[in-house]
Amino acid sequence: MKRFLQAITLASCSLLLAACGNLKNSDLASNSTTTTSKAKKYETTSSTDGGYSVLLKKGVYKTSPISGLEATNYDNSVDESAMERGLIRVSKKVFSTKDYVIQEGQQLDETTVTNWLGRYSKSNKEGLNLKSNGKTGSTTRNPIILQQIMEEDFYVKSGSSYKLAGISISLGLNSVDYYTKTTDGSEYSTKISLAKRRAFGQKTANTIVSRLHAKKKLKNIPIMVGLFSKTDTDSLVGGTYFSYGTASANSSKISKWNSVNEKTQVLPTVDGASAVSASDESKFTSFKDEIEDYFPNVSGVTATLRYYDGKLAYESIAITTQFYGYLQVQSFAQTVMSRAKKYLGTSSPVEITISSVNDTQAVVAKETATGSYRMHIYGGN
Amino acid sequence: MKRFLQAITLASCSLLLAACGNLKNSDLASNSTTTTSKAKKYETTSSTDGGYSVLLKKGVYKTSPISGLEATNYDNSVDESAMERGLIRVSKKVFSTKDYVIQEGQQLDETTVTNWLGRYSKSNKEGLNLKSNGKTGSTTRNPIILQQIMEEDFYVKSGSSYKLAGISISLGLNSVDYYTKTTDGSEYSTKISLAKRRAFGQKTANTIVSRLHAKKKLKNIPIMVGLFSKTDTDSLVGGTYFSYGTASANSSKISKWNSVNEKTQVLPTVDGASAVSASDESKFTSFKDEIEDYFPNVSGVTATLRYYDGKLAYESIAITTQFYGYLQVQSFAQTVMSRAKKYLGTSSPVEITISSVNDTQAVVAKETATGSYRMHIYGGN
């Protein structure tokens, strides 16, 4: 059914988006029940536990003008999501969720960032990527290291309004830079070592900090910069942060870099790779084996585990099934929940999705490490 | 990421399914933690509130051998799901969830049902569909009315075992029968009135009851038969039940038919159709308008409402978005939840999915009419 509904909703996209263009000046306020009340200039949407409240503008969510910009044609949506999620997580170390509210970055515009992501050249003196050295060999050329820039802004309440009080920037740094020698020609790639990413990232962060602090309105705003390693395009898991540092008000550089310890792993491991945690792997294997024994139509069970600072922080399990029966899904989800309680760890939130090829059929999840499992069966009774 | 994982899991399908073939004799028991304990012959998986417990066999879920069989090449997966869900719902009126446990139907086998779904002919005297009258005109031919048969079995505890104590059969009756005059030729269709569906369904139900009750092992088992109207293949919503009746032990016919009042509607309505409930429509419109005002990237909001016996029994809302940002999804889901609390009805469970074209991003739902809304953001923090 969802597919049918999607067809409708997509068909009506252009219509609704056209209408949306006018909504920025909408005068709906947060708690109004009619459309005649005045909008508050600023509002926030409440957050989940431990998250930031989000600052709206005239009741409307503000999207960042630089979202989606990349230096080269790069395709790994897993990275995009890990990069944003991680930037917010690392930001919490600098800008407390109690004192600050968040808004997608509004200080960098599309033209600026497009120039910054380019190579340095006579025609683009703003370019942050290394200038071309004229070579095209994998190991001899200057690779594109800076692939993407993200920004998040942090505000504090000031009287009845909010004022900008912090900026977080993420630099998405390529582990592998893909390139062609001629348009539409074969794809080549240059590997970039962590040491090279780190040195380039730190230098580039300082350049950005000094450019931003040169602006009068940003002079006094602390700027956190996170360094994010993008993965190769085949990777099933998103990239990870390895370092961050903060430039205080007026400072033109980051003097201290802190390391970030993030790992992401898919289970079962492939090619005999060893698990980050043998204990987590063994719990998952017990869970998987029992699930596969109880139902005849389970076609795959995989887990993605995220470790922050050496501890399991999130476990997401995807179960793919061949069936689509209502009773099967109900009964299977019940079994999955009881086995999750029995086998899976108690130190992280857990998300288990049960999907056929076309649709998510059910989700079983506990939202916090110590929370209760709950299940939702799509389509109800 | 889900797409990537699906690729893996699908790749490993054949391998795992091959392995599953051996699992029917698995000796894992419900509460065992090792693989060395003996399987109980019968177990049940617990149910959701008000649902049936499901009877397993040697720890494994039993699927019905007739699932998916249809008289003609018919494509509406929405029907399939509505037909099964509804059969279980109607069964509750006859076989109490307290006294009975359920198992997918095991009494009818594939050969029998394939024959039954055929036309009556010299070579298929078991055929339940009308014999061909040799005509091919839309209004002159004998249409295929019986499209699909589903079965559910109900068991009661008997000592340390379970014994069969009830059967529910659903007859999926075409509202429109699609046919071609030559192989791969143009498609024609014959409409079948409700009166015709009803008369044919009741007669066919009695034939099935007498065939089943003629079997010694089923003689004393009460049989409930539900009559389900299949929709046309373009319909966005599944078909509905309109009647059911029960044949008691030994009886060869159903003497009393009860009407079932089910309606399903998609909002916003199209072509100026009027809503089943103006009040539910108005609540949905308020919800939709405010959601669309708060976020710039909402591309579609549609609802599917199911009414049983004139009352709203389930509301499922699908929100399609253009975005994929982590912060946007978090913030949007919060807003959706607060607007759902404010506007949507208190007389039914509610399910709200937030999806991009490729993925479900979040689900906000209350599982019962009076329950609390909860949200799950896919991918976690």
Side-chain angles (χ1 to χ4, degrees), chain A residues 28 32 84 293 326 342, chain B residues 28 32 84 293 326 342 378:
Chain A
L28 282 172
S32 70
E84 189 193 358
D293 284 353
Y326 162 80
K342 185 172 163 188
Chain B
L28 281 173
S32 72
E84 189 193 358
D293 284 355
Y326 161 80
K342 185 172 163 188
Y378 285 91

Side-chain angles (χ1 to χ4, degrees), chain B residues 110-298:
Chain B
E110 186 174 345
T111 310
T112 303
V113 170
T114 302
N115 289 338
W116 289 10
L117 289 173
R119 287 187 185 277
Y120 178 89
S121 69
K122 273 186 193 156
S123 63
N124 181 23
K125 299 231 156 104
E126 298 272 286
L128 292 170
N129 271 305
L130 300 172
K131 69 177 178 191
S132 170
N133 62 3
K135 293 174 183 162
T136 56
S138 295
T139 54
T140 55
R141 69 190 275 269
N142 273 344
I144 298 286
I145 304 179
L146 180 61
Q147 178 68 26
Q148 192 170 7
I149 297 175
M150 271 187 194
E151 180 200 345
E152 301 287 351
D153 297 340
F154 298 88
Y155 289 79
V156 291
K157 191 139 200 178
S158 169
S160 66
S161 178
Y162 286 86
K163 65 169 191 193
L164 184 66
I167 295 176
S168 284
I169 302 278
S170 172
L171 303 183
L173 305 164
N174 284 325
S175 308
V176 182
D177 174 31
Y178 299 92
Y179 68 104
T180 53
K181 294 182 187 180
T182 55
T183 311
D184 296 332
S186 305
E187 188 177 75
Y188 299 85
S189 63
T190 300
K191 287 197 178 166
I192 301 152
S193 70
L194 177 59
K196 205 161 180 176
R197 263 172 274 154
R198 186 189 301 276
F200 177 90
Q202 293 186 354
K203 178 171 147 277
T204 305
N206 285 335
T207 308
I208 289 176
V209 162
S210 62
R211 286 181 188 176
L212 291 179
H213 273 170
K215 296 186 183 190
K216 200 173 163 194
K217 66 181 276 211
L218 301 181
K219 223 169 65 147
N220 292 308
I221 310 295
I223 300 171
M224 189 283 274
V225 181
L227 303 183
F228 180 81
S229 285
K230 306 229 10 156
T231 57
D232 56 282
T233 51
D234 292 335
S235 179
L236 297 170
V237 299
T240 50
Y241 282 85
F242 61 90
S243 186
Y244 76 97
T246 308
S248 1
N250 294 309
S251 165
S252 67
K253 63 177 288 196
I254 293 166
S255 49
K256 179 171 175 280
W257 287 93
N258 311 282
S259 65
V260 179
N261 176 4
E262 294 187 4
K263 285 202 181 85
T264 306
Q265 182 168 56
V266 172
L267 295 177
T269 58
V270 289
D271 299 336
S274 64
V276 171
S277 156
S279 151
D280 293 337
E281 184 185 37
S282 139
K283 285 172 187 168
F284 169 70
T285 304
S286 302
F287 170 81
K288 178 175 182 289
D289 288 349
E290 223 171 277
I291 290 301
E292 288 173 346
D293 284 355
Y294 269 81
F295 282 81
N297 292 323
V298 176

